Amino acid sequence: MQTVPLALEAGGYSIPAALTLPHGEPRGSVLLIPGSLFVNVDGDFPSWNIYPRVYAWLAEQLSERGLAVLRFAKIGPGTGSELLDAEAAAKITNWRRRMVIANAALDRLRAELASRALPTGKVVLAGHSEGSVVASVIAAEGANVDGVVLLSGPSIGILGIMREQHLAMSPAGAAPEPLAILDEVIDHIRRQQSFPDALVARATGPTGAGALVTFDEASRNYMRDVDATDPVETIARYGGPVLLVSAGLDTSVPRHHADALRAGRAGLPTEAVHFPELQHMYKPVPEGTSPMAAFGLAGPTDPRVAEAVHRWVQAL
């Protein structure tokens, strides 16, 4: 196995990327699309001092099974991304830029393998969390791929996910006011309205409503555009094979989202695998671990996830 660092230029940015190659010829190729937040090429969140290394683990485990994997960072602080052309970047809206970058990464995957005289085999998009929506969009728009893997993919928009997460993390009998404030903040974002000073004063804390009211206009526009993309409708427009991966201890995107995505693809080739004892980054959770601590667990992802993806790719 070999990992080659790369710089992906797309959407007016230079973005860290990495190509992980197996020993011998690849038996398939995977483009691993990152999820939300400011995540680097390895799947860490340096701005929050959280280092799960999820994408590096997945790439290495898939490569051990004979697949070539290209992964890349998401634009943002601490990820190593750099603005190259402000004029080019300004022409693409924040959310649409994710599709531009993913398509460029797909082209780069093929080009890197061709430059080494290596076969691509079956080419698959694998999007994690918010990245699964990106994968669904470019697949529905006609990306030349043989299948799509949705790793903990949501079935609703990101603002709805944030509301779910708030409810999941609230203790029994929690006061209703924080949820009401979050709903009010979400409503303002969806309506493209600025936040009144009184609402900002009521929205406190480092997450949820407290985080959303600190966003600048570009960030609010990004959230609104992501939220407006219907993941169920989008992946239903892709007629090729889809694999849904879900985890039972995932407090970010619980299993019912995979069930909804599968129901929306009735009559289309869709498979699902579920790992009851794993969390959002596909790691076992020690008893008594809080949801926030579980999100950032160190250590490798469970290799059964890579094995399930590998078996599915080989069966295409």
Side-chain angles (χ1 to χ4, degrees), residues 160-172 174 179 182-183:
I161 288 288
M162 292 185 71
R163 191 179 191 277
E164 276 193 4
Q165 291 171 352
H166 174 91
L167 289 170
M169 292 189 219
S170 297
L179 179 60
L182 177 59
D183 284 340

PDB file of all heavy atoms in Angstrom, residues 160-172 174 179 182-183:
ATOM      1  N   GLY A 160     -32.364  20.432   9.485  1.00  0.00           N
ATOM      2  CA  GLY A 160     -33.173  19.417  10.140  1.00  0.00           C
ATOM      3  C   GLY A 160     -32.331  18.443  10.937  1.00  0.00           C
ATOM      4  O   GLY A 160     -32.723  17.998  12.025  1.00  0.00           O
ATOM      5  N   ILE A 161     -31.150  18.115  10.405  1.00  0.00           N
ATOM      6  CA  ILE A 161     -30.220  17.245  11.140  1.00  0.00           C
ATOM      7  C   ILE A 161     -29.795  17.919  12.442  1.00  0.00           C
ATOM      8  O   ILE A 161     -29.742  17.279  13.506  1.00  0.00           O
ATOM      9  CB  ILE A 161     -28.990  16.934  10.274  1.00  0.00           C
ATOM     10  CG1 ILE A 161     -29.360  15.971   9.145  1.00  0.00           C
ATOM     11  CG2 ILE A 161     -27.847  16.364  11.106  1.00  0.00           C
ATOM     12  CD1 ILE A 161     -29.615  14.556   9.590  1.00  0.00           C
ATOM     13  N   MET A 162     -29.495  19.212  12.378  1.00  0.00           N
ATOM     14  CA  MET A 162     -29.090  19.926  13.597  1.00  0.00           C
ATOM     15  C   MET A 162     -30.201  19.908  14.636  1.00  0.00           C
ATOM     16  O   MET A 162     -29.949  19.777  15.839  1.00  0.00           O
ATOM     17  CB  MET A 162     -28.690  21.364  13.255  1.00  0.00           C
ATOM     18  CG  MET A 162     -27.415  21.460  12.450  1.00  0.00           C
ATOM     19  SD  MET A 162     -26.891  23.171  12.183  1.00  0.00           S
ATOM     20  CE  MET A 162     -26.355  23.617  13.847  1.00  0.00           C
ATOM     21  N   ARG A 163     -31.440  20.018  14.182  1.00  0.00           N
ATOM     22  CA  ARG A 163     -32.574  19.974  15.113  1.00  0.00           C
ATOM     23  C   ARG A 163     -32.670  18.587  15.759  1.00  0.00           C
ATOM     24  O   ARG A 163     -32.896  18.459  16.959  1.00  0.00           O
ATOM     25  CB  ARG A 163     -33.856  20.313  14.371  1.00  0.00           C
ATOM     26  CG  ARG A 163     -35.041  20.562  15.278  1.00  0.00           C
ATOM     27  CD  ARG A 163     -36.284  20.924  14.473  1.00  0.00           C
ATOM     28  NE  ARG A 163     -37.340  21.410  15.354  1.00  0.00           N
ATOM     29  CZ  ARG A 163     -38.163  20.615  16.027  1.00  0.00           C
ATOM     30  NH1 ARG A 163     -38.051  19.304  15.926  1.00  0.00           N
ATOM     31  NH2 ARG A 163     -39.108  21.141  16.813  1.00  0.00           N
ATOM     32  N   GLU A 164     -32.507  17.543  14.952  1.00  0.00           N
ATOM     33  CA  GLU A 164     -32.509  16.174  15.482  1.00  0.00           C
ATOM     34  C   GLU A 164     -31.403  15.983  16.516  1.00  0.00           C
ATOM     35  O   GLU A 164     -31.609  15.361  17.559  1.00  0.00           O
ATOM     36  CB  GLU A 164     -32.316  15.161  14.346  1.00  0.00           C
ATOM     37  CG  GLU A 164     -33.566  14.790  13.602  1.00  0.00           C
ATOM     38  CD  GLU A 164     -33.346  13.574  12.732  1.00  0.00           C
ATOM     39  OE1 GLU A 164     -32.236  12.981  12.760  1.00  0.00           O
ATOM     40  OE2 GLU A 164     -34.289  13.197  12.012  1.00  0.00           O
ATOM     41  N   GLN A 165     -30.216  16.494  16.197  1.00  0.00           N
ATOM     42  CA  GLN A 165     -29.086  16.339  17.104  1.00  0.00           C
ATOM     43  C   GLN A 165     -29.352  17.053  18.424  1.00  0.00           C
ATOM     44  O   GLN A 165     -28.988  16.558  19.493  1.00  0.00           O
ATOM     45  CB  GLN A 165     -27.815  16.862  16.442  1.00  0.00           C
ATOM     46  CG  GLN A 165     -27.334  16.005  15.284  1.00  0.00           C
ATOM     47  CD  GLN A 165     -26.197  16.637  14.498  1.00  0.00           C
ATOM     48  OE1 GLN A 165     -25.854  17.799  14.723  1.00  0.00           O
ATOM     49  NE2 GLN A 165     -25.616  15.892  13.580  1.00  0.00           N
ATOM     50  N   HIS A 166     -29.974  18.209  18.340  1.00  0.00           N
ATOM     51  CA  HIS A 166     -30.313  18.935  19.577  1.00  0.00           C
ATOM     52  C   HIS A 166     -31.234  18.086  20.449  1.00  0.00           C
ATOM     53  O   HIS A 166     -31.018  17.963  21.663  1.00  0.00           O
ATOM     54  CB  HIS A 166     -30.995  20.257  19.223  1.00  0.00           C
ATOM     55  CG  HIS A 166     -31.518  21.005  20.415  1.00  0.00           C
ATOM     56  ND1 HIS A 166     -30.761  21.939  21.096  1.00  0.00           N
ATOM     57  CD2 HIS A 166     -32.718  20.942  21.058  1.00  0.00           C
ATOM     58  CE1 HIS A 166     -31.464  22.408  22.104  1.00  0.00           C
ATOM     59  NE2 HIS A 166     -32.655  21.825  22.110  1.00  0.00           N
ATOM     60  N   LEU A 167     -32.243  17.483  19.835  1.00  0.00           N
ATOM     61  CA  LEU A 167     -33.180  16.660  20.587  1.00  0.00           C
ATOM     62  C   LEU A 167     -32.485  15.434  21.170  1.00  0.00           C
ATOM     63  O   LEU A 167     -32.747  15.035  22.311  1.00  0.00           O
ATOM     64  CB  LEU A 167     -34.341  16.236  19.684  1.00  0.00           C
ATOM     65  CG  LEU A 167     -35.328  17.350  19.294  1.00  0.00           C
ATOM     66  CD1 LEU A 167     -36.279  16.868  18.211  1.00  0.00           C
ATOM     67  CD2 LEU A 167     -36.099  17.828  20.509  1.00  0.00           C
ATOM     68  N   ALA A 168     -31.580  14.832  20.386  1.00  0.00           N
ATOM     69  CA  ALA A 168     -30.900  13.619  20.847  1.00  0.00           C
ATOM     70  C   ALA A 168     -29.989  13.900  22.033  1.00  0.00           C
ATOM     71  O   ALA A 168     -29.806  13.038  22.901  1.00  0.00           O
ATOM     72  CB  ALA A 168     -30.093  13.015  19.698  1.00  0.00           C
ATOM     73  N   MET A 169     -29.404  15.089  22.073  1.00  0.00           N
ATOM     74  CA  MET A 169     -28.469  15.414  23.134  1.00  0.00           C
ATOM     75  C   MET A 169     -29.123  16.089  24.336  1.00  0.00           C
ATOM     76  O   MET A 169     -28.472  16.330  25.342  1.00  0.00           O
ATOM     77  CB  MET A 169     -27.353  16.323  22.591  1.00  0.00           C
ATOM     78  CG  MET A 169     -26.441  15.626  21.609  1.00  0.00           C
ATOM     79  SD  MET A 169     -24.994  16.619  21.191  1.00  0.00           S
ATOM     80  CE  MET A 169     -24.848  16.280  19.451  1.00  0.00           C
ATOM     81  N   SER A 170     -30.411  16.382  24.223  1.00  0.00           N
ATOM     82  CA  SER A 170     -31.099  17.032  25.337  1.00  0.00           C
ATOM     83  C   SER A 170     -31.524  15.988  26.373  1.00  0.00           C
ATOM     84  O   SER A 170     -32.073  14.945  26.007  1.00  0.00           O
ATOM     85  CB  SER A 170     -32.331  17.786  24.837  1.00  0.00           C
ATOM     86  OG  SER A 170     -31.972  18.816  23.951  1.00  0.00           O
ATOM     87  N   PRO A 171     -31.288  16.246  27.636  1.00  0.00           N
ATOM     88  CA  PRO A 171     -31.701  15.292  28.666  1.00  0.00           C
ATOM     89  C   PRO A 171     -33.220  15.237  28.788  1.00  0.00           C
ATOM     90  O   PRO A 171     -33.927  16.169  28.374  1.00  0.00           O
ATOM     91  CB  PRO A 171     -31.060  15.852  29.941  1.00  0.00           C
ATOM     92  CG  PRO A 171     -30.889  17.308  29.667  1.00  0.00           C
ATOM     93  CD  PRO A 171     -30.622  17.429  28.196  1.00  0.00           C
ATOM     94  N   ALA A 172     -33.709  14.144  29.338  1.00  0.00           N
ATOM     95  CA  ALA A 172     -35.150  14.015  29.551  1.00  0.00           C
ATOM     96  C   ALA A 172     -35.643  15.160  30.433  1.00  0.00           C
ATOM     97  O   ALA A 172     -35.010  15.519  31.423  1.00  0.00           O
ATOM     98  CB  ALA A 172     -35.453  12.672  30.211  1.00  0.00           C
ATOM     99  N   ALA A 174     -35.843  18.280  29.526  1.00  0.00           N
ATOM    100  CA  ALA A 174     -35.147  19.546  29.254  1.00  0.00           C
ATOM    101  C   ALA A 174     -36.150  20.650  28.951  1.00  0.00           C
ATOM    102  O   ALA A 174     -37.234  20.418  28.410  1.00  0.00           O
ATOM    103  CB  ALA A 174     -34.189  19.371  28.075  1.00  0.00           C
ATOM    104  N   LEU A 179     -34.883  24.630  22.206  1.00  0.00           N
ATOM    105  CA  LEU A 179     -35.366  24.127  20.919  1.00  0.00           C
ATOM    106  C   LEU A 179     -36.164  25.199  20.188  1.00  0.00           C
ATOM    107  O   LEU A 179     -36.033  25.356  18.965  1.00  0.00           O
ATOM    108  CB  LEU A 179     -36.223  22.883  21.127  1.00  0.00           C
ATOM    109  CG  LEU A 179     -36.811  22.266  19.848  1.00  0.00           C
ATOM    110  CD1 LEU A 179     -35.704  21.847  18.885  1.00  0.00           C
ATOM    111  CD2 LEU A 179     -37.711  21.079  20.183  1.00  0.00           C
ATOM    112  N   LEU A 182     -33.704  27.529  18.638  1.00  0.00           N
ATOM    113  CA  LEU A 182     -33.089  26.911  17.457  1.00  0.00           C
ATOM    114  C   LEU A 182     -34.046  26.943  16.275  1.00  0.00           C
ATOM    115  O   LEU A 182     -33.650  27.273  15.147  1.00  0.00           O
ATOM    116  CB  LEU A 182     -32.685  25.479  17.773  1.00  0.00           C
ATOM    117  CG  LEU A 182     -32.095  24.666  16.606  1.00  0.00           C
ATOM    118  CD1 LEU A 182     -30.841  25.336  16.058  1.00  0.00           C
ATOM    119  CD2 LEU A 182     -31.794  23.237  17.048  1.00  0.00           C
ATOM    120  N   ASP A 183     -35.309  26.621  16.507  1.00  0.00           N
ATOM    121  CA  ASP A 183     -36.289  26.663  15.423  1.00  0.00           C
ATOM    122  C   ASP A 183     -36.420  28.065  14.839  1.00  0.00           C
ATOM    123  O   ASP A 183     -36.556  28.239  13.620  1.00  0.00           O
ATOM    124  CB  ASP A 183     -37.651  26.187  15.937  1.00  0.00           C
ATOM    125  CG  ASP A 183     -37.719  24.677  16.108  1.00  0.00           C
ATOM    126  OD1 ASP A 183     -36.891  23.974  15.506  1.00  0.00           O
ATOM    127  OD2 ASP A 183     -38.594  24.204  16.861  1.00  0.00           O
TER     128      ASP A 183
END
